[in-house]
């Protein structure tokens, strides 16, 4: 539902954007010039609206994703093979991108920007994020030799810092001093919000564990920043084409993961063994979240993505109080306060640049 | 030792300050004018030095104060009556102020600014901070009906917020938006650093407990801000005279507290019953800390005081690792990070005003 709403909005605003772009191509008289300026300001506004809409969608989807995970855990252990579910997520995202494209082709015809066929040059970079995520996911099995699961949740907050650093280095975008301070606060605040009585064990993580956690954070940050670089490289290119190519390689890598990890299980028990309603909802949610991430990369950036998923984490905790009768800890309130100040500072830093 | 160093520095810089003030009184020729400007810039620098010195002294003294408390607790329960110790602290501060004054009188003679005698108008406000602290200390006995001791330590961080608000309202000084954000972070960071496995109990504090905690925070904040108002009201007035009058009333109120609370114990066991080396060191330390607080009020402000004592709290924890083999928690590291960012932002906010 959310996704469709965004898609529609997206299309409307793409149309506005196209109008301005087509105007820019024409020789400008004085009045046309002022029209462009008017168009420019409404374009800024519509861009802001689109950015807000995709960010909101990502926050809501990520938050409900976590809720579904808690729900599925409460229902019992994972019965299905995770690799098949991951494959289906990629396949579903591919299908949705194709469906969106079909509609665009019907309405607007096939153009240079929305045609699916592509050059080797354009497509050659698309497997890289998928490959990076695959390596990260493989490492995930090994890190548990050094860190327990709650400790890993804590260490995952290193992603925030690695994303900030790689965003700066690779995309060469500046963050103001206040925004850097805000980013450190975001990391500290998220970690604080997740503190519990066993969290201190993470301080006993051996050296190898720290190295792996940092490598994983760098891989994850690099994959995110690299995806943004790919998607932003050609702004006029239709996002659904870009998504299609991203997800095709996602499918391929996940098919490989099925072969390596779960081939026997799939052969003996069947592809859909252990699937339940929650599993299907989770696949649906992951697919929509994935598309929302791509859109945030296209219309906003990795920094917005990090803030969005951080807020989703806090939102999940609050929702869990109502849904599962969870208790919020003092650490959660303190962490949320710090995250709120971080968001405020980030926006303040933006104004001052 | 620290105190003497500050006192000497203080005197030197007072002399510089007096020179400029005496120059200002004279009709200015062009060259005298440029001298004043030179003097003005060196005065800014010396003021900054004095401010840094008293702030550093307060931080070191507050930190060692907490170390002494831990030491005395390790040595066993308080054997001495706290009210007699408090009285001695006030008496010692009074004596130190008089000794400093005697030296100043010998060197500079008695002037309007350093004479001890005073008008009713000037002295009438001095009992108020002492009275406020007394009420707060009395309330302290009752709050433990609602909150346990570690919970009270957590709630005491409300002082930070109350000081900020009263500083704004009573002294009518502006804090920039970033400085307000920094103040909220300071409060959240200090609380985070103090989190332990029992901290969540504070969330079960009944309504009366919250009200009392807030009232105590307001009393403490008001006493601090009011002291600053008194001390800053007449900038040229010698700080030792101001301290003398503050501490005389402190002595009077604490004498009353002995009569009310520990009269029997003092009569039966004697005034100095249960005093040990640690007790004497604690009294000495409290006296010097008290004087450092006054100086921070004179040469800096309540905001600096709050930052200084917060840093002292973190410093104490780090020192306790070496002295008592304490372990630092993950929450401590996160809280310290947030406090560090808060300090950075406070200084950033100052530059931007």
């Amino acid at each position: 539902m959310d996704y469709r709403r965004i898609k529609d909005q997206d299309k409307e605003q793409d149309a506005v954007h196209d109008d301005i772009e087509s105007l820019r191509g024409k020789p400008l008289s004085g009045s046309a010039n002022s029209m462009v300026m008017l168009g420019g300001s409404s374009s800024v506004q519509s861009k802001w609206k689109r950015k807000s809409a995709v960010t909101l969608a990502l926050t809501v989807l990520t938050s409900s994703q976590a809720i579904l995970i808690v729900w599925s855990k409460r229902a019992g252990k994972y019965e299905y093979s995770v690799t098949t579910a991951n494959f289906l997520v990629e396949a579903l995202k591919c299908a949705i991108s194709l469906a969106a494209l079909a509609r665009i082709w019907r309405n607007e015809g096939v153009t240079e920007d929305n045609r699916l066929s592509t050059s080797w040059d354009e497509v050659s970079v698309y497997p890289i994020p998928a490959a990076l995520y695959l390596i990260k996911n493989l490492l995930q099995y090994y890190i548990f030799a050094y860190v327990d699961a709650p400790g890993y949740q804590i260490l995952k907050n290193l992603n925030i810092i690695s994303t900030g650093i790689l965003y700066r280095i690779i995309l060469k975008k500046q963050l103001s001093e206040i925004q850097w301070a805000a980013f450190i606060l975001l990391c500290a605040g998220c970690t604080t919000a997740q503190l519990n009585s066993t969290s201190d064990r993470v301080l006993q993580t051996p050296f190898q564990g720290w190295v792996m956690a940092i490598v994983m954070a760098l891989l994850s940050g690099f994959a995110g920043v690299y995806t943004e670089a790919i998607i932003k490289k050609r702004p006029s290119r239709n996002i659904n084409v870009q998504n299609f190519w991203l997800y095709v390689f996602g499918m391929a890598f996940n098919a490989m993961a099925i072969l390596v990890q779960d081939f026997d299980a799939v052969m003996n028990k069947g592809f859909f063994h252990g699937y339940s309603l929650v599993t299907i909802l989770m696949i649906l949610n992951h697919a929509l979240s994935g598309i929302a991430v791509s859109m945030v990369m296209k219309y906003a950036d990795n920094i917005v993505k990090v803030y969005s998923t951080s807020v989703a984490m806090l939102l999940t905790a609050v929702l869990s109080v109502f849904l599962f009768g969870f208790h919020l800890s003092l650490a959660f309130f303190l962490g949320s306060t710090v995250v709120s100040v971080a968001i405020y500072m980030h926006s303040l830093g933006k104004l001052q640049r």
Side-chain angles (χ1 to χ4, degrees), chain A:
Chain A
M1 280 273 274
D2 274 4
Y3 174 61
R4 175 140 309 281
R5 189 151 49 80
I6 297 156
K7 293 299 302 170
D8 290 341
Q9 210 159 358
D10 189 25
K11 273 193 57 193
E12 272 169 46
Q13 282 149 10
D14 262 348
V16 170
H17 190 71
D18 287 346
D19 282 355
I20 298 156
E21 286 210 324
S22 62
L23 264 173
R24 282 209 181 105
K26 293 171 189 166
L28 297 172
S29 72
S31 73
N33 205 338
S34 65
M35 271 178 68
V36 171
M37 281 170 72
L38 275 170
S41 117
S42 99
S43 152
V44 165
Q45 205 182 8
S46 77
K47 270 183 185 167
W48 186 85
K49 268 189 197 163
R50 186 166 59 188
K51 188 174 157 177
S52 306
V54 293
T55 307
L56 186 67
L58 179 59
T59 310
V60 171
L61 285 165
T62 311
S63 173
S64 52
Q65 189 174 310
I67 298 280
L68 284 170
I69 290 173
V70 177
W71 185 14
S72 77
K73 273 186 187 161
R74 292 229 149 176
K77 248 188 128 282
Y78 290 123
E79 289 282 317
Y80 62 95
S81 77
V82 177
T83 51
T84 62
N86 286 346
F87 177 82
L88 287 177
V89 167
E90 297 299 313
L92 185 56
K93 290 195 284 187
C94 241
I96 292 172
S97 302
L98 278 177
L101 273 177
R103 205 175 135 176
I104 290 166
W105 290 331
R106 206 169 45 239
N107 292 343
E108 305 172 15
V110 177
T111 68
E112 183 64 23
D113 283 337
N114 69 24
R115 70 191 171 86
L116 208 53
S117 60
T118 173
S119 65
W120 169 245
D121 255 15
E122 186 183 11
V123 90
S124 62
V125 289
Y126 279 85
I128 292 170
L132 289 171
Y133 280 123
L134 191 73
I135 298 170
K136 200 206 97 189
N137 289 340
L138 288 174
L139 276 179
Q140 202 160 305
Y141 287 90
Y142 296 102
I143 198 170
F144 286 117
Y146 305 105
V147 196
D148 58 4
Y152 177 59
Q153 286 300 318
I154 297 277
L155 290 176
K156 266 169 83 176
N157 291 305
L158 289 171
N159 282 359
I160 298 177
I161 300 297
S162 69
T163 302
I165 294 171
L166 294 169
Y167 177 83
R168 173 72 191 83
I169 295 174
I170 297 173
L171 298 178
K172 294 193 176 59
K173 287 191 192 170
Q174 295 276 355
L175 285 176
S176 68
E177 278 181 19
I178 297 179
Q179 287 181 320
W180 273 114
F183 230 56
I184 293 168
L185 286 179
L186 183 68
C187 182
C190 284
T191 314
T192 302
Q194 291 171 315
L195 285 179
N196 60 46
S197 53
T198 67
S199 302
D200 276 357
R201 284 207 298 257
V202 85
L203 294 175
Q204 268 92 56
T205 303
F207 181 71
Q208 299 99 312
W210 281 108
V211 171
M212 286 184 76
I214 291 167
V215 168
M216 285 172 69
L218 287 172
L219 281 171
S220 165
F222 189 73
V225 169
Y226 199 82
T227 306
E228 184 179 339
I230 293 173
I231 289 181
K232 290 243 174 85
K233 200 184 172 191
R234 201 175 138 188
S236 63
R237 189 65 157 143
N238 190 286
I239 176 71
N240 295 295
V241 177
Q242 296 178 311
N243 280 348
F244 172 81
W245 285 111
L246 273 177
Y247 304 148
V248 158
F249 289 108
M251 276 172 75
F253 281 109
N254 278 292
M256 269 160 47
I258 297 179
L259 291 177
V260 173
Q261 280 177 31
D262 288 322
F263 184 71
D264 289 345
V266 168
M267 279 297 130
N268 296 331
K269 297 184 186 168
F271 195 92
F272 293 101
H273 174 79
Y275 276 62
S276 65
L277 178 65
V278 191
T279 319
I280 293 161
L281 287 175
M282 278 173 74
I283 290 171
L284 208 65
N285 180 297
H286 269 84
L288 296 181
S289 307
I291 291 170
V293 167
S294 281
M295 297 224 158
V296 167
M297 300 290 185
K298 179 95 178 174
Y299 305 120
D301 52 42
N302 266 284
I303 305 296
V304 169
K305 184 199 153 204
V306 168
Y307 275 100
S308 168
T309 47
S310 300
V311 169
M313 189 266 289
L314 302 180
L315 207 61
T316 305
V318 174
L319 286 174
S320 300
V321 172
F322 298 104
L323 294 174
F324 309 112
F326 279 16
H327 286 289
L328 294 180
S329 65
L330 178 57
F332 177 80
F333 288 112
L334 294 168
S336 306
T337 305
V338 172
V339 169
S340 306
V341 173
I343 293 169
Y344 166 74
M345 281 169 63
H346 181 77
S347 62
L348 210 68
K350 203 175 275 174
L351 293 173
Q352 289 180 335
R353 264 194 298 170

